[in-house]
Amino acid sequence: MSLYDGIFYAFAIITVVSAFIVVLSKNIIYSAVSLFITLFGVAGFFVLLHADFIAVTQIMIYIGGILVLLIFGVMLTTKITDVKLKTKNINALTSAIFVIGITAVLIFIMLTTNWKVAEVVKYDETIDKIGVLLLTDYLLPFEIASIILLIALIGAAMYARKSK
Amino acid sequence: MEQFLIDTFGDNILTYIIMPVPVLIFLSLFALGAVLAERKVSAYMQDRYGPNRVGKGILQTLADMIKLFQKEDITPAKADKLLYNLAPFIVFTATFMGYAVIPFCSLYIGADLNIGIFYFLAITSLSIVGILIAGWASNNKYSLFGAMRAVAQIISYEIPTALAILIVVMIAGTLSMQEIVELQGGGILNWFIFGGPGGATKYILLPFLFAAFMVLYISTLAETNRTPFDIPEAESELVAGFHTEYSGMKFAMFFFAEYGQMFAVSAIVATLFLGGWQSPFGELIPVLNTPVAQIIWFILKGCIFVFVQMWLRWTLPRLRVDQLMILCWKYLIPVSFINLFAVGLYIVL
Amino acid sequence: MRKYFKNIYLGFSTIWIGMMITLKHLLFYKNITIQYPEQRLQLPERERNRLYVNIDDCIGCDQCVRACPVNCIKIETIKAVPGDKVGKTGETSAGKKKALFVPKFTIDFAKCCYCELCVFPCPTVCIYMTDVFEFSEFQRNDLVYDFTDLTKEQAEEKRKKAEEWALEMQKKKEAAAKKPPEKKVPLKPETNDKNKSDESPDSKSDDKPSKDS
Ligand code: SF4
Ligand code: SF4
């Protein structure tokens, strides 16, 4: 097992375990913190795949932005004095059936597919290409995405304003 | 450095463990020195002497460290034990991870990522999570308020920071820290605060770059929660902010992280605008371009900014929350956008 | 718009002014901290610090105890037996005679609030403020100062003597009570006479060493 394999498995274990905690934990804050670890683990995978830009974006947006917002929201909406941030498991039976079914299908696909192993791509700067592609081939989606975000921003600002 | 280690130990885990050790040693020494310096600077600014008993004052921080080691490690009864104990490590780790991309000299940089500065921005946002958890897990209203303020502040000021950094990145055309520094070689006039390398027309950019420099410095100051932006730990209202409940070694870790951040952001400012490890004399005096001299230049530049941080701290009063937000959204961000536009225009033309 | 730029300008200029002031202090101003153990301030003339009791002058009158608002002075007194002199001379330095032994005179400086109220009522000016203000201790009990000049054995001896004498007086009283016409009148002059007669030779004999010294 090479160093990279070791790191991969370490990240994999961290990610999977913390993902389980996200789902199973009864305490929302614990779930949020586990989500932090999960997202971090996923960023680690991106690094291992030489997708450095995506890895850092993952950290920046998901952890620095969304997760913080999430914890912030949970904290602001509960009282500090009585910590009752509990979640419940409902419909355990039906969800278990679905989970097992989907897992079985996925494993079946994984095992039966004839995977083609590609040559290991040499480490390459991705960021130049991403930048160029975003402003040439994918300019329209890029602009649409930015307009949607702008709309969301304006909408949020409108809602946040005090109605006079 | 990396190559040397790989040659010595082979390409295994040991190499990557040894790699950051010099930074850790440097950081510890820096924290010791900076705490003392801060106390001395503040004392002399107020016509006092500051610590001058334990070994003429020089060993005072060491004595304080020993004291902190011995202190009882208190976890409040109603605190969330697990998260409470986890938080200082997250904050410190996040700070230390930022050091991975700081180029100390031409031979030593933790990891010369080609997205270096972007990585730094992202990693520093990790410490927000630690601060939030610390504030929440302490189960103390002061901690929670402190954490909320800290997070609101850091998130807001990340925008001008990123915009100011972007200006340098636009001129340099790279995100790699080492390359940014290398571009600024050849004397003080090639530093990015003077427009970087280029012909005489680059001096048109001088006011914009200077403005960007100021914006970056101010917003990094806010990101490290230092006075005048220390409302997250405003002593007079919030006891100590998010680390109110922490004691002993865990408190020391927050403290360590704060000083680590101070140097980290100073180093980033120095790297982006003041040529990092480049000597201001360029090729004139070759001795000053050796790796050892480079380290000295770099630490010197960083320490000057740290000193200015202390200087500001002991000069200015604390901002109010609304003033803080006004400064960010009405002044720093518009100025950054104007800068961005102007520099973009220059590059396109 | 003008205001906007003015604000920016004002922000920078005022910060600059402030920073220059602190820089001036950092570089040029003399430090004014007094390095306490080595360097001391002149204490004010009427400072109030640790009390001292000159037990030689104390007549055990209890005035200071009553004056103290926090009850930190504790006194015990034993009547002096005729023929026994209190202290070296049996007199205060002002020549007032002392009739009481003071086997216990403690002041608890942990309680004392340094109000100086005990000083003024003292008829012999023997309790007064000194200029000692550094007397911290590790144990709170160590702050209880005892000013008496009698050892325990001595105090015990005096107490016995006083008791014996009191018994004697009791007997005399009873004897006197048997003589109905003179009840109280002889008692007082009797003691007084005895004290006087006792004291006069003592004081003379004790005067000599004091003169010598
Ligand atoms: S100074 Fe005041 S408190 Fe102290 S012993 Fe005298 S009367 Fe009592
Ligand atoms: S008032 Fe003076 S003489 Fe009287 S008991 Fe106190 S110290 Fe002694």
Side-chain angles (χ1 to χ4, degrees):
Chain A
M1 196 170 75
S2 76
L3 181 62
Y4 288 96
D5 285 348
I7 293 174
F8 172 82
Y9 283 114
F11 271 118
I13 290 167
I14 289 171
T15 311
V16 171
V17 169
S18 59
F20 264 106
I21 297 173
V22 173
V23 180
L24 298 177
S25 170
K26 294 262 193 287
N27 188 329
I28 289 189
I29 290 282
Y30 276 33
S31 299
V33 175
S34 315
L35 190 62
F36 162 72
I37 300 167
T38 313
L39 293 173
F40 201 75
V42 173
F45 288 141
F46 283 129
V47 171
L48 290 178
L49 291 172
H50 296 319
D52 47 5
F53 183 77
I54 298 178
V56 175
T57 315
Q58 162 97 6
I59 291 175
M60 189 139 185
I61 293 175
Y62 280 96
I63 297 179
I66 292 175
L67 190 77
V68 168
L69 215 64
L70 211 128
I71 301 181
F72 219 87
V74 172
M75 276 162 47
L76 276 174
T77 49
T78 48
K79 286 177 200 136
I80 308 167
T81 42
D82 63 329
V83 188
K84 272 186 188 153
L85 300 165
K86 306 285 183 199
T87 51
K88 269 188 216 155
N89 290 334
I90 47 171
N91 296 338
L93 188 69
T94 39
S95 47
I97 293 168
F98 271 98
V99 167
I100 292 168
I102 292 171
T103 321
V105 170
L106 283 178
I107 290 175
F108 176 74
I109 293 172
M110 266 165 66
L111 293 178
T112 51
T113 311
N114 187 19
W115 296 103
K116 284 175 190 160
V117 182
E119 286 278 302
V120 177
V121 189
K122 262 295 243 176
Y123 182 69
D124 205 351
E125 287 201 8
T126 56
I127 183 157
D128 286 0
K129 284 178 191 161
I130 292 173
V132 170
L133 283 177
L134 271 184
L135 290 178
T136 52
D137 291 7
Y138 299 97
L139 184 60
L140 191 63
F142 182 67
E143 287 299 331
I144 289 173
S146 56
I147 286 171
I148 289 172
L149 287 176
L150 193 65
I151 292 169
L153 205 74
I154 295 170
M158 281 293 291
Y159 273 116
R161 260 165 76 142
K162 273 184 204 148
S163 50
K164 279 168 195 165
Chain B
M1 177 84 182
E2 198 177 355
Q3 201 53 48
F4 167 75
L5 281 174
I6 289 173
D7 290 346
T8 332
F9 300 107
D11 191 6
N12 60 21
I13 195 103
L14 194 62
T15 311
Y16 298 99
I17 290 173
I18 292 175
M19 197 61 188
V21 168
V23 182
L24 193 62
I25 293 169
F26 164 75
L27 199 55
S28 319
L29 292 178
F30 171 79
L32 282 182
V35 174
L36 181 69
E38 169 119 52
R39 295 176 68 179
K40 278 287 187 188
V41 165
S42 70
Y44 276 82
M45 279 181 181
Q46 296 163 353
D47 298 344
R48 297 183 284 114
Y49 284 101
N52 63 355
R53 295 287 145 153
V54 187
K56 295 259 171 237
I58 294 162
L59 301 178
Q60 182 64 51
T61 339
L62 217 59
D64 286 344
M65 279 290 284
I66 294 168
K67 181 195 76 181
L68 278 175
F69 272 121
Q70 292 171 328
K71 279 222 166 168
E72 188 187 352
D73 189 14
I74 301 166
T75 308
K78 287 277 177 70
D80 192 321
K81 301 260 160 4
L82 185 69
L83 297 182
Y84 180 86
N85 291 328
L86 189 68
F89 296 95
I90 296 180
V91 173
F92 179 72
T93 315
T95 307
F96 191 60
M97 277 168 85
Y99 274 83
V101 291
I102 292 179
F104 279 82
C105 74
S106 53
L107 297 180
Y108 185 83
I109 178 168
D112 188 15
L113 303 178
N114 52 15
I115 45 163
I117 187 70
F118 188 44
Y119 165 87
F120 183 83
L121 268 180
I123 284 297
T124 42
S125 69
L126 277 189
S127 68
I128 300 176
V129 178
I131 290 174
L132 259 180
I133 293 173
W136 188 83
S138 301
N139 203 0
N140 172 324
K141 47 180 162 285
Y142 298 119
S143 302
L144 190 62
F145 277 134
M148 296 222 164
R149 287 183 183 188
V151 171
Q153 177 176 328
I154 294 174
I155 289 184
S156 307
Y157 276 83
E158 235 164 45
I159 300 164
T161 312
L163 290 175
I165 288 175
L166 210 55
I167 288 166
V168 173
V169 172
M170 276 164 71
I171 297 175
T174 173
L175 287 168
S176 151
M177 299 290 266
Q178 205 66 285
E179 279 175 36
I180 288 176
V181 176
E182 272 156 17
L183 276 172
Q184 302 178 67
I188 192 165
L189 288 177
N190 279 356
W191 291 357
F192 276 128
I193 194 162
F194 296 110
T201 46
K202 75 177 184 184
Y203 292 109
I204 305 168
L205 287 178
L206 201 65
F208 299 109
L209 283 167
F210 192 72
F213 168 71
M214 292 312 276
V215 168
L216 182 62
Y217 193 73
I218 293 171
S219 49
T220 51
L221 201 61
E223 280 199 56
T224 46
N225 298 339
R226 300 248 333 151
T227 324
F229 305 103
D230 66 338
I231 54 166
E233 40 202 88
E235 292 94 344
S236 43
E237 32 193 300
L238 288 185
V239 190
F242 61 88
H243 54 65
T244 302
E245 293 287 356
Y246 285 87
S247 64
M249 268 324 283
K250 290 196 208 108
F251 171 75
M253 289 196 71
F254 278 122
F255 207 64
F256 202 31
E258 189 190 325
Y259 277 86
Q261 261 175 13
M262 272 167 70
F263 186 81
V265 298
S266 301
I268 291 294
V269 174
T271 310
L272 292 181
F273 284 99
L274 294 186
W277 42 258
Q278 298 281 8
S279 131
F281 307 109
E283 310 300 324
L284 289 179
I285 311 169
V287 186
L288 297 180
N289 277 330
T290 55
V292 178
Q294 284 169 354
I295 292 179
I296 293 170
W297 280 122
F298 181 72
I299 292 174
L300 197 71
K301 284 171 190 172
C303 286
I304 288 172
F305 284 120
V306 171
F307 169 72
V308 177
Q309 286 181 349
M310 292 173 184
W311 186 5
L312 278 168
R313 172 168 180 184
W314 297 103
T315 303
L316 296 179
R318 184 183 307 131
L319 291 180
R320 268 194 333 255
V321 180
D322 60 328
Q323 291 168 334
L324 181 90
M325 289 302 162
I326 285 175
L327 177 66
C328 178
W329 294 99
K330 287 195 178 165
Y331 291 92
L332 297 184
I333 292 180
V335 168
S336 303
F337 273 119
I338 293 170
N339 280 341
L340 207 62
F341 188 69
V343 175
L345 212 63
Y346 170 82
I347 290 171
V348 171
L349 296 179
Chain C
M1 205 60 198
R2 256 190 79 155
K3 206 181 155 210
Y4 185 81
F5 286 108
K6 206 181 158 199
N7 275 345
I8 295 179
Y9 168 73
L10 269 181
F12 278 106
S13 61
T14 47
I15 288 173
W16 181 251
I17 292 169
M19 284 175 79
M20 280 303 122
I21 290 174
T22 38
L23 189 69
K24 246 191 278 170
H25 279 265
L26 176 71
L27 297 178
F28 306 121
Y29 279 57
K30 258 188 86 178
N31 302 342
I32 54 167
T33 319
I34 285 157
Q35 296 295 300
Y36 159 63
E38 290 98 45
Q39 228 180 324
R40 284 153 194 272
L41 278 184
Q42 178 75 40
L43 286 170
E45 211 172 296
R46 298 200 295 170
E47 86 277 8
R48 303 201 299 245
N49 301 308
R50 193 170 73 187
L51 286 162
Y52 180 72
V53 178
N54 182 1
I55 200 73
D56 288 341
D57 274 3
C58 176
I59 55 172
C61 68
D62 220 25
Q63 296 276 18
C64 50
V65 180
R66 266 174 256 160
C68 180
V70 294
N71 290 337
C72 63
I73 310 181
K74 295 264 149 51
I75 288 192
E76 267 170 29
T77 50
I78 302 169
K79 266 194 185 154
V81 182
D84 207 356
K85 59 185 159 115
V86 183
K88 280 177 193 158
T89 59
E91 261 183 18
T92 66
S93 53
K96 207 169 178 180
K97 71 170 194 303
K98 294 165 73 168
L100 294 168
F101 287 107
V102 187
K104 185 185 168 196
F105 194 123
T106 60
I107 303 182
D108 187 348
F109 287 107
K111 285 189 201 159
C112 177
C113 63
Y114 308 99
C115 61
E116 213 179 0
L117 285 178
C118 51
V119 171
F120 302 118
C122 179
T124 59
V125 206
C126 65
I127 180 166
Y128 50 83
M129 292 288 181
T130 57
D131 59 357
V132 183
F133 56 90
E134 301 150 306
F135 50 99
S136 49
E137 299 281 358
F138 284 103
Q139 298 290 322
R140 208 171 293 164
N141 280 342
D142 293 346
L143 283 170
V144 182
Y145 283 60
D146 200 343
F147 290 100
T148 185
D149 55 348
L150 296 178
T151 59
K152 265 197 183 139
E153 294 80 48
Q154 278 173 324
E156 208 45 49
E157 191 195 319
K158 305 287 181 204
R159 191 165 287 134
K160 253 184 208 162
K161 265 191 184 175
E163 271 164 21
E164 276 164 22
W165 192 68
L167 270 176
E168 215 173 278
M169 289 310 292
Q170 190 75 21
K171 277 176 196 163
K172 271 189 187 172
K173 220 185 198 177
E174 277 160 19
K178 281 170 188 170
K179 296 168 190 173
E182 305 156 89
K183 260 191 178 174
K184 281 181 181 174
V185 186
L187 259 174
K188 272 186 181 174
E190 228 173 80
T191 53
N192 280 348
D193 283 347
K194 273 186 180 174
N195 277 344
K196 270 176 191 171
S197 60
D198 285 335
E199 268 172 24
S200 47
D202 287 341
S203 58
K204 274 171 197 169
S205 61
D206 271 26
D207 272 347
K208 280 168 196 170
S210 67
K211 272 173 193 169
D212 288 347
S213 64

